[in-house]
Amino acid sequence: KFKAKVLKEDIWGEKKLAYKINKQEKGFYVLLELELDWKNIIKITKNINLDKNIFRHMFVKKEL
């Protein structure tokens, strides 16, 4: 949908959070390495913010 290419998927699984977020003590961690146009990050962020199951996310630009 966002024309992103998944380069690497690393599922860390369920972990205890450092502090409670939305009364939750555990979270499910997934690390994705994506190749996509930077404009699509804005669209992906909008979709993530609408999903009540995702309460933290982060995008980091990887230098080549």
Side-chain angles (χ1 to χ4, degrees):
K1 182 178 177 178
F2 299 107
K3 300 177 185 170
K5 181 179 177 184
V6 178
L7 302 176
K8 184 177 176 184
E9 180 180 352
D10 193 6
I11 299 174
W12 295 358
E14 192 172 316
K15 305 275 184 191
K16 187 175 186 325
L17 301 173
Y19 53 91
K20 286 185 181 181
I21 301 172
N22 298 336
K23 300 181 182 178
Q24 298 294 319
E25 294 183 1
K26 293 185 178 183
F28 194 86
Y29 288 76
V30 177
L31 176 65
L32 294 174
E33 189 174 321
L34 304 171
E35 185 178 298
L36 71 155
D37 187 71
W38 66 271
K39 293 176 184 175
N40 286 335
I41 293 174
I42 296 167
K43 296 175 186 176
I44 292 170
T45 301
K46 285 181 182 178
N47 279 359
I48 288 172
N49 289 336
L50 293 174
D51 190 333
K52 303 234 185 279
N53 293 315
I54 302 174
F55 42 86
R56 289 287 189 272
H57 71 279
M58 179 185 346
F59 287 99
V60 178
K61 182 179 177 183
K62 182 178 176 182
E63 294 297 327
L64 301 176

